[in-house]
């Protein structure tokens, strides 16, 4: 994988992967690398870890870009913590046909839940904000750290889902069903949706349905704007200015998630840049020789004794060494199998660094590994 | 009453900390102690069954035997929703028609949390199940819940529904579910973390965010702690030691790296201890190629006695 070229050409990098693999740090290090190469880069993240957030100046105000002071020269680095609710509110404000419609939506209980708690809404809003910032054209490069979860894939569908959701016709059927049952007697309805509505009412209760009806009606004037916007977001994500990177660790479960993710990206015809395998245990032996643990232990003990190390200490050092080699072998086998499954797709291994990465100097330690030219 | 005597243990934590392994180990420990345990995961495919060498457990909604006294069940939210509708409407054909209808698809998209609610509802329903003799069918239900962000959303849902559906069956059931989740005699929340900066920060943050929900974690499980293979006293010796051979050098570098990681973990454990007085159970790092039944058993051997001691 040639991250150097990727950084030079892309305007948007979307970083995906399952939780705990180091997405946020990788995203921040990519943005830092871009800045050091003279670009104006901004890393967008949701819910960053506290110390990294602190280091990037993200603790002050959500949804606002902060410049991260860099030691010397190059371009500029910005960071922003996304706030899903605020983005959603802004979208409503922008697309609501009247001030009254806007207020009705913002006050609605269903909307309150939808904008802050609904699975997938965070993901969608991240895309929305990305689009907004790209339109503004302030930054050369935007790096989006996607929310870590099994829902992470939802953002791919989100524009479609939102489009489908707010699409006029089917919704109107539902809404009109509600109005009719509510005694408002609009147009005649298909029997099926009426039956469905009555059944729902028995289960869910009338208040809930009337809230929902109100919400959907209030959205009435916004369908077209939303739909247009969602289509534009989808087209930007599929564009050659955008690239999707996957981050994983060399462990089985995150690799499975990465493969799943990759297949979804390919299916959705989104531009895939490659996989970053983070936290790979370094093989201090250097080459790939296959010696049994017992043989390695013997060799290590002999050489440690030669160097004058006391036998008990040497035994402990050998224990730590063999434990480390178990992980080296595990990582190697897993990365090999990942590479095989990915075929010709680019893959980059990043070593597991000693010491947590949670500040700018830490990112600077990570950066050269990300920008190394991989296979 | 020990922690293993609860009806439900909800296991959550930041992604990647080993929630599933811990949930499986709790289930196994409970089974070892003679309790009937059910391991529940919320997913479209069962992963947990694989840990117990079960390949046939991938079908959601179907309870599978994993081990003596231990069964597994994957709850797939959409399926649970349809199941719920059938139950609520008492007419399968109507429920199916409804679930298939486009309008219903829009409703579930528009009604945030409905899936989460039925998922919890299904768990509540499991706690209510009785055998023919009137005994509770499940002893301990261990829930491998989604990672904290969505896990919190799951726990918040019943209360949110009390607010938005203010009458009707859903309201009544939301109340029952909310009560189950908040009842410390029946339900325990287990927070899993690792001794690393981000998971620890997220754990502390989660503790804060549980409070306004009227919820409280019972225990912190700190997973994957490195054993002390090299001692702090060896540090000075290792700092300057350069053996002649490549293998010896590699061994010294691995030992130094081990010390550095142990230092990091000690620092994070200290941060956790300073910030919360919750009981802590510490699990060893498993130097294994991947998680399997042996690994889960190793964790269960530590978790079981520790949970047995906890109130």
């Amino acid at each position: 994988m040639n991250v150097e070229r990727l950084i030079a050409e892309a305007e948007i990098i979307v970083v995906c992967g399952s939780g705990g693999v180091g997405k946020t740090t990788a995203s921040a290090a990519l943005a830092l690398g871009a800045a050091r190469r003279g670009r104006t880069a901004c890393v967008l993240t949701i819910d960053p870890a506290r110390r990294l957030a602190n280091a990037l100046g993200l603790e002050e105000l959500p949804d606002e870009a902060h410049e991260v002071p860099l030691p010397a020269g190059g371009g500029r680095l910005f960071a922003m913590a996304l706030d899903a609710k605020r983005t959603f509110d802004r979208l409503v404000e922008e697309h609501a046909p009247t001030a009254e419609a806007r207020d009705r939506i913002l006050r609605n209980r269903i909307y309150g839940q939808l904008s802050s708690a609904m699975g997938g809404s965070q993901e969608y809003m991240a895309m929305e904000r990305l689009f907004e910032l790209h339109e503004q054209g302030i930054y050369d490069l935007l790096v989006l750290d996607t929310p870590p979860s099994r829902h992470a894939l939802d953002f791919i569908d989100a524009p479609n889902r939102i489009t489908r959701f707010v699409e006029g016709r089917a919704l109107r059927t539902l809404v009109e069903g509600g109005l009719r049952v509510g005694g408002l007697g609009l147009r005649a309805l298909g029997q099926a949706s009426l039956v469905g509505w009555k059944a729902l009412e028995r289960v869910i209760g009338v208040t809930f349905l009337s809230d929902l009806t109100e919400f959907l009606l209030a959205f009435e004037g916004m369908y077209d704007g939303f739909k247009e916007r969602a289509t534009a977001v989808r087209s930007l994500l599929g564009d050659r200015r955008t690239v999707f990177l996957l981050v994983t660790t060399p462990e089985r479960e995150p690799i499975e998630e990465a493969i799943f993710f990759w297949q979804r990206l390919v299916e959705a015809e989104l531009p895939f840049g490659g996989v970053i395998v983070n936290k790979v245990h370094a093989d201090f032996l250097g080459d790939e020789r296959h010696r049994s643990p017992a043989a390695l232990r013997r060799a290590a003990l002999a050489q440690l004794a030669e160097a004058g190390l006391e036998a008990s200490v040497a035994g402990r050092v050998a224990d730590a060494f063999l434990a480390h080699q178990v992980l080296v072998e595990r990582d190697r086998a897993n990365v090999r199998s990942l590479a095989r499954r990915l075929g010709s797709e680019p893959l980059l291994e990043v070593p597991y660094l000693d010491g947590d990465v949670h500040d700018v100097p830490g990112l600077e330690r990570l950066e050269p590994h990300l920008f190394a030219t991989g296979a | 009453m020990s922690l293993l005597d609860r009806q439900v243990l909800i296991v959550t934590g930041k992604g990647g900390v080993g929630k599933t392994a811990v949930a499986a180990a709790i289930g196994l420990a409970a089974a070892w102690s003679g309790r009937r345990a059910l391991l529940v995961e919320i997913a479209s495919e069962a992963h947990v069954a694989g840990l117990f060498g079960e390949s046939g457990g991938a079908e959601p909604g179907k309870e599978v035997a994993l081990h003596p006294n231990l069964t597994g069940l994957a709850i797939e939210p959409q399926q649970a929703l349809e199941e719920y509708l059938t139950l609520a409407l008492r007419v399968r054909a109507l429920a199916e028609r409804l679930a298939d209808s486009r309008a219903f698809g829009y409703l579930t998209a528009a009604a945030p949390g409905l899936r989460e609610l039925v998922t919890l509802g299904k768990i509540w329903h499991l706690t209510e199940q009785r055998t023919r003799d009137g005994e509770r069918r499940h002893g301990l239900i261990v829930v491998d819940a989604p990672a904290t962000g969505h896990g919190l959303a799951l726990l918040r849902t019943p209360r949110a529904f009390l607010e938005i559906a203010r009458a009707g069956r859903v309201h009544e059931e939301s109340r029952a579910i909310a009560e189950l989740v908040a009842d410390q005699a029946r339900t325990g929340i287990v927070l899993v973390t690792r001794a690393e900066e981000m998971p620890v920060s997220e754990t502390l943050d989660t503790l804060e965010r549980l409070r306004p929900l009227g919820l409280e974690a019972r225990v912190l499980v700190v997973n994957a702690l490195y054993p002390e293979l090299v001692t702090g006293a060896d540090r000075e010796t290792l700092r300057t030691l350069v053996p002649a051979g490549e293998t010896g050098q590699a061994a010294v570098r691995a030992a130094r790296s081990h010390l550095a990681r142990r230092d990091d973990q000690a620092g994070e454990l200290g941060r956790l201890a300073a910030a919360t007085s919750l009981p802590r159970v510490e699990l060893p790092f498993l130097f294994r190629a991947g998680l399997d039944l042996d690994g889960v058993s190793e964790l269960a051997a530590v978790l079981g006695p520790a949970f047995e001691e906890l109130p």
Side-chain angles (χ1 to χ4, degrees), chain A residues 127-333:
Chain A
M127 294 300 142
E128 180 60 40
R129 191 76 176 106
L130 186 70
F131 180 80
E132 223 173 75
L133 288 166
H134 185 261
E135 290 286 281
Q136 287 173 6
I138 303 169
Y139 307 101
D140 302 329
L141 177 71
L142 294 161
V143 182
L144 175 69
D145 165 32
T146 60
S149 71
R150 285 191 187 162
H151 295 269
L153 289 167
D154 288 359
F155 79 87
I156 295 179
D157 300 328
N160 291 332
R161 210 145 33 101
I162 296 265
T163 312
R164 251 183 287 137
F165 170 50
V166 298
E167 187 205 2
R169 207 162 14 117
L171 259 190
R172 254 163 245 155
T173 314
L174 184 65
V175 170
E176 284 164 8
L179 293 177
R180 175 165 166 156
V181 172
L184 296 168
L186 282 187
R187 260 174 288 152
L189 259 184
Q191 197 60 24
S193 70
L194 191 59
V195 168
W197 191 267
K198 285 200 146 169
L200 277 179
E201 195 178 79
R202 264 167 54 196
V203 178
I204 295 173
V206 184
T207 6
F208 182 78
L209 285 187
S210 62
D211 271 350
L212 184 63
T213 308
E214 186 205 64
F215 172 65
L216 295 175
L217 276 177
F219 249 85
E220 176 100 61
M222 297 177 49
Y223 299 148
D224 292 343
F226 255 74
K227 193 173 171 178
E228 206 175 285
R229 184 63 169 244
T231 311
V233 171
R234 179 61 180 80
S235 111
L236 175 65
L237 291 179
D239 191 286
R240 58 177 175 75
R241 290 169 294 180
T242 303
V243 64
F244 285 78
L245 291 182
L246 296 179
V247 183
T248 182
T249 57
E251 288 161 288
R252 247 182 343 211
E253 294 79 11
I255 284 182
E256 288 308 318
E257 298 249 350
I259 292 275
F260 179 57
F261 225 119
W262 167 59
Q263 289 165 339
R264 291 291 307 278
L265 289 172
V266 172
E267 268 167 34
E269 296 180 359
L270 291 168
F272 175 63
V275 177
I276 295 169
V277 188
N278 194 19
K279 301 189 187 176
V280 178
H281 287 86
D283 188 357
F284 300 125
L285 272 174
D287 53 13
E288 292 188 26
R289 78 188 56 173
H290 298 285
R291 276 189 290 170
S292 71
L296 275 181
R297 188 183 180 89
R298 268 197 308 277
L301 285 176
Q303 291 175 19
L304 291 168
E306 224 170 89
L309 203 62
E310 199 184 300
S312 61
V313 185
R316 292 197 288 272
V317 170
D319 286 346
F321 174 47
L322 290 186
H324 181 83
Q325 288 305 118
V326 170
L327 301 179
V328 169
E329 292 303 329
R330 175 200 72 179
D331 291 359
R332 182 176 292 147

Side-chain angles (χ1 to χ4, degrees), chain B residues 176-214:
Chain B
I177 297 166
E179 280 169 5
L180 171 68
V181 171
D183 182 356
Q184 301 235 354
R186 284 187 289 165
T187 303
I189 297 172
V190 178
L191 268 184
V192 186
T193 188
R194 288 176 74 140
E196 289 167 28
E197 200 269 334
M198 297 204 193
V200 165
S201 297
E202 187 159 321
T203 301
L204 298 178
D205 194 45
T206 303
L207 292 175
E208 295 285 310
R209 284 156 73 174
L210 282 171
R211 209 164 297 141
L213 302 178

Side-chain angles (χ1 to χ4, degrees), chain A residues 49-51 109 113 118 149-151 164-165 170 203 212 252 285 289 291 303 316 323 330 352 354-356, chain B residues 42 106-107 109-110 112 150 166 170 197-198 205 229 234 245-248 257 261 264 268 289-291:
Chain A
R50 207 162 282 171
R51 272 154 83 186
R109 279 190 293 257
Q113 291 289 320
M118 182 187 169
S149 71
R150 285 191 187 162
H151 295 269
R164 251 183 287 137
F165 170 50
V203 178
L212 184 63
R252 247 182 343 211
L285 272 174
R289 78 188 56 173
R291 276 189 290 170
Q303 291 175 19
R316 292 197 288 272
R330 175 200 72 179
Y352 195 172
D354 289 342
D356 264 348
Chain B
I42 299 164
Y106 293 112
L107 176 88
H150 290 88
R166 283 177 298 176
V170 168
E197 200 269 334
M198 297 204 193
D205 194 45
L229 297 175
D234 301 332
E246 196 192 27
T247 315
S257 166
R261 300 228 161 108
D264 279 352
E268 292 303 327
L291 195 67

Side-chain angles (χ1 to χ4, degrees), chain B:
Chain B
M1 182 187 187
S2 104
L3 197 51
L4 291 177
D5 291 321
R6 297 297 193 285
Q7 287 184 47
V8 182
L9 289 179
I10 297 173
V11 183
T12 185
K14 186 181 186 320
V17 297
K19 264 188 325 310
T20 301
V22 169
I26 296 171
L28 188 59
W32 282 346
S33 73
R35 295 170 173 94
R36 277 163 299 113
L38 172 67
L39 190 52
V40 168
E41 61 186 316
I42 299 164
S44 47
E45 331 161 23
H47 298 284
V48 167
L51 292 181
F52 292 87
E54 285 294 325
S55 52
E59 194 183 325
K62 210 179 119 212
E63 203 175 316
V64 289
L66 298 177
H67 200 78
N69 280 335
L70 180 64
T71 52
L73 175 71
I75 299 182
E76 201 275 299
Q78 184 64 30
Q79 193 191 43
L81 185 57
E82 287 171 23
E83 207 180 295
Y84 174 75
L85 284 174
T86 310
L87 202 71
L89 300 171
R90 286 185 217 94
V91 184
R92 178 177 292 275
L94 183 60
E96 275 171 9
R97 193 155 139 209
L98 184 58
D100 283 343
S101 71
R102 284 179 73 183
F104 186 71
Y106 293 112
L107 176 88
T108 51
L114 198 54
R115 285 154 178 262
E116 282 86 354
L117 184 72
V118 293
T119 302
L120 272 184
K122 169 84 189 174
I123 291 162
W124 169 71
H125 188 70
L126 291 169
T127 65
E128 296 285 298
Q129 283 180 348
R130 293 287 185 274
T131 63
R132 224 170 273 166
D133 320 326
E135 299 260 309
R136 281 201 281 119
R137 203 164 88 74
H138 300 286
L140 171 66
I141 299 169
V142 185
V143 183
D144 179 12
T148 15
H150 290 88
L152 280 169
L154 183 74
L155 294 172
R156 191 166 35 226
T157 305
R159 282 165 67 102
F161 267 82
L162 279 177
E163 169 69 19
I164 58 178
R166 283 177 298 176
R169 181 173 175 148
V170 168
H171 181 82
E172 292 313 314
E173 286 173 352
S174 299
R175 180 190 304 284
I177 297 166
E179 280 169 5
L180 171 68
V181 171
D183 182 356
Q184 301 235 354
R186 284 187 289 165
T187 303
I189 297 172
V190 178
L191 268 184
V192 186
T193 188
R194 288 176 74 140
E196 289 167 28
E197 200 269 334
M198 297 204 193
V200 165
S201 297
E202 187 159 321
T203 301
L204 298 178
D205 194 45
T206 303
L207 292 175
E208 295 285 310
R209 284 156 73 174
L210 282 171
R211 209 164 297 141
L213 302 178
L215 303 174
E216 210 183 313
R218 298 306 305 162
V219 61
L220 285 178
V221 175
V222 186
N223 193 22
L225 286 172
Y226 292 111
E228 190 180 41
L229 297 175
V230 186
T231 66
D234 301 332
R235 193 186 303 266
E236 273 313 306
T237 321
L238 289 175
R239 200 193 299 277
T240 50
L241 187 74
V242 187
E246 196 192 27
T247 315
Q249 283 169 17
V252 169
R253 291 185 67 183
R256 281 192 203 130
S257 166
H258 177 77
L259 275 174
R261 300 228 161 108
R262 290 241 331 151
D263 289 348
D264 279 352
Q265 290 197 332
E268 292 303 327
L269 274 180
R271 202 155 69 91
L272 213 48
T276 168
S277 57
L278 268 184
R280 232 178 24 237
V281 177
E282 301 181 352
L283 296 179
F285 186 94
L286 302 178
F287 290 94
R288 291 173 175 276
L291 195 67
D292 52 16
L293 185 54
D294 286 347
V296 175
S297 303
E298 207 173 309
L299 300 181
V302 181
L303 274 173
F307 273 38
E308 206 74 78
E309 291 292 305
L310 287 170

